[in-house]
């Protein structure tokens, strides 16, 4: 039995297979419409989410399966003091697979050790968010046709943003990737990540100004400032509008650059950018459903 905790749990070859499956799902959705008939997905979300939870649920319904679960800790037995280890043992009796989001780093991993069904980490604190990364990689692969030879800029809250952490880890395995980290001083990428890049000899730069690097980018990954992970509101208010991507800044970008964003967006991308053909963040949401469908089939070992 296999779980998904980190984007590195799959080898590059396994990822290729997963993305091929997602592409086939996109091309032939009817072929998969009953693939998970009789199967149940539990979505155990201890932290608010709309996109990820609904994306998982939509993925399971598209496969003809069913969904049960809870969408905040307050409405689950966690409010009564139940541990994730006990919760997952119970969920294992109710469902065939579980997607878990938790505000504590490592909670889905703890659950996985006690689970008799596959557990998917749907985001753990400021740590990792592997299914968002699968979404990001599938989006890049589908639009650009490759996952190597890029300069990618990641912009915003690179300290607390788990989607950025997971994406950096995942992309660092592909050839000829250059990272440009664009953040205020206080929200820089954690050191354990820059250390990993140094060890692996992967080129990266850290800058504070978006405009100065815009012309170099093949991909711009925007992120919101993670309000809920700040220790005080004042710092959040000071940093929240540090970057606002608008039409003017887009003029500095390459014609074939793509903008991605895990969403939700707050102010960091002005709505006037949404009509720019390079803005791909809503298309990215659709790829998130295909890749989660492919993941559910893979972890449930269902072949169509
Ligand atoms: C992200 C998350 O939860 O980390 N959202 C998502 O899953 N689509 C990004 C965010 O909350 O900013």
């Amino acid at each position: 039995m296999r779980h998904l905790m980190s984007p590195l749990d799959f080898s590059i070859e396994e990822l290729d297979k997963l993305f091929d499956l997602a592409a086939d799902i996109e091309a032939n959705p009817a072929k998969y419409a009953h693939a998970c008939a009789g199967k149940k997905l539990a979505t155990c979300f201890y932290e608010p989410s709309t996109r990820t939870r609904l994306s998982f649920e939509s993925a399971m319904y598209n496969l003809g399966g069913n969904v049960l679960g809870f969408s905040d800790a307050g409405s689950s037995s966690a409010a009564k003091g139940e541990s994730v280890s006990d919760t997952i043992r119970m969920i294992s009796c109710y469902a065939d697979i579980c997607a878990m989001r938790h505000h504590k780093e490592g909670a889905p991993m703890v659950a996985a050790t006690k689970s008799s069904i596959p557990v998917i980490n749907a985001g753990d604190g400021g740590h990792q968010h592997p299914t968002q990364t699968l979404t990001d990689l599938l989006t890049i692969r589908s639009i650009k046709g490759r996952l190597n030879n890029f300069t990618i800029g990641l912009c915003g809250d690179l300290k607390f943003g788990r989607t950025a952490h997971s994406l950096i880890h995942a992309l660092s395995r592909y050839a000829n990737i250059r990272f440009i980290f664009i953040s205020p001083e206080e929200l820089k990428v954690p050191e354990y990540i820059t250390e990993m890049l140094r060890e692996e000899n992967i080129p990266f730069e850290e800058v504070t100004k978006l405009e100065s690097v815009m012309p170099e980018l093949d991909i711009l990954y925007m992120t919101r400032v993670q309000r809920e992970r700040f220790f005080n509101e004042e710092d959040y208010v000071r940093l929240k509008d540090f970057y606002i991507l608008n039409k003017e800044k887009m003029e500095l970008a390459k014609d074939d650059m793509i903008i991605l964003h895990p969403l939700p967006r707050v102010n960091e991308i002005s709505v006037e950018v949404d009509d720019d053909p390079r803005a791909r963040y809503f298309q990215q949401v659709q790829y998130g459903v295909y890749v989660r469908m492919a993941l559910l089939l893979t972890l449930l070992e269902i072949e169509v």
Side-chain angles (χ1 to χ4, degrees):
M1 188 185 52
R2 220 170 158 179
H3 307 286
L4 178 72
M5 291 297 128
S6 143
L8 303 185
D9 291 356
F10 283 108
S11 66
I12 301 273
E13 294 71 32
E14 287 173 323
L15 285 181
D16 278 340
K17 256 181 92 181
L18 187 83
F19 298 145
D20 288 343
L21 177 57
D24 194 54
I25 291 170
E26 179 182 7
N28 308 292
K31 190 172 135 192
Y32 297 89
H34 306 289
C36 281
K39 298 285 181 196
K40 281 173 279 183
L41 162 74
T43 52
C44 299
F45 276 59
Y46 294 84
E47 201 188 56
S49 157
T50 21
R51 207 152 345 263
T52 304
R53 186 170 54 83
L54 295 185
S55 178
F56 268 112
E57 296 188 357
S58 167
M60 194 45 146
Y61 286 126
N62 288 345
L63 294 167
N66 283 300
V67 177
L68 66 160
F70 54 87
S71 56
D72 75 278
S75 67
S76 77
S77 291
K80 298 182 187 166
E82 187 175 59
S83 67
V84 283
S85 307
D86 283 3
T87 303
I88 195 69
R89 282 185 174 157
M90 179 207 51
I91 297 288
S92 295
C93 304
Y94 297 156
D96 302 284
I97 188 161
C98 170
M100 179 179 285
R101 166 167 294 194
H102 207 286
H103 47 274
K104 279 203 191 127
E105 283 83 358
M109 177 77 100
V110 171
T113 62
K114 299 285 185 218
S115 177
S116 51
I117 58 172
V119 178
I120 300 167
N121 176 5
D124 61 330
H127 187 217
Q128 297 268 3
H129 192 343
T131 61
Q132 181 62 48
T133 297
L134 298 181
T135 303
D136 303 338
L137 295 181
L138 176 65
T139 309
I140 296 170
R141 194 183 97 139
S142 303
I143 297 173
K144 291 281 194 186
R146 63 180 199 277
L147 284 167
N148 48 21
N149 299 316
F150 288 120
T151 296
I152 176 166
L154 292 101
C155 177
D157 186 347
L158 306 183
K159 180 180 180 186
F160 297 114
R162 57 191 171 198
T163 58
H165 301 164
S166 282
L167 184 59
I168 298 165
H169 276 111
L171 277 177
S172 66
R173 296 197 293 183
Y174 293 90
N176 204 12
I177 299 288
R178 179 172 158 244
F179 292 101
I180 303 186
F181 301 134
I182 308 141
S183 75
E185 193 55 35
E186 294 92 330
L187 298 178
K188 278 167 77 170
V189 180
E191 227 161 78
Y192 77 92
I193 293 181
T194 48
E195 220 148 80
M196 177 277 289
L197 294 173
R198 265 188 217 106
E199 268 167 28
E200 307 272 325
N201 279 323
I202 297 165
F204 72 92
E205 265 170 68
E206 295 183 280
V207 302
T208 45
K209 250 185 121 46
L210 176 58
E211 290 88 326
S212 62
V213 294
M214 202 70 174
E216 298 174 51
L217 305 178
D218 300 304
I219 304 166
L220 172 59
Y221 195 86
M222 292 297 291
T223 63
R224 83 183 159 95
V225 176
Q226 303 270 306
R227 180 180 204 159
E228 66 278 30
R229 304 197 204 285
F230 272 68
F231 293 111
N232 68 68
E233 182 73 8
E234 266 160 58
D235 284 348
Y236 170 72
V237 170
R238 185 167 51 82
L239 294 169
K240 74 180 172 61
D241 293 329
F242 206 91
Y243 299 105
I244 298 179
L245 181 62
N246 55 18
K247 269 195 170 155
E248 211 182 317
K249 288 182 194 142
M250 284 303 293
E251 276 169 24
L252 304 167
K254 289 183 185 172
D255 290 342
D256 64 349
M257 185 196 76
I258 58 170
I259 313 163
L260 303 182
H261 191 308
L263 305 177
R265 149 177 66 184
V266 188
N267 283 331
E268 59 281 352
I269 303 178
S270 161
V271 289
E272 66 185 21
V273 175
D274 295 357
D275 296 331
D276 190 303
R278 291 167 291 185
R280 300 298 190 120
Y281 28 93
F282 290 113
Q283 195 181 356
Q284 196 180 348
V285 175
Q286 181 65 66
Y287 283 120
V289 179
Y290 298 138
V291 91
R292 288 185 175 93
M293 289 170 75
L295 180 67
L296 291 171
L297 291 172
T298 304
L299 295 181
L300 288 168
E301 298 178 8
I302 294 172
E303 292 204 20
V304 179

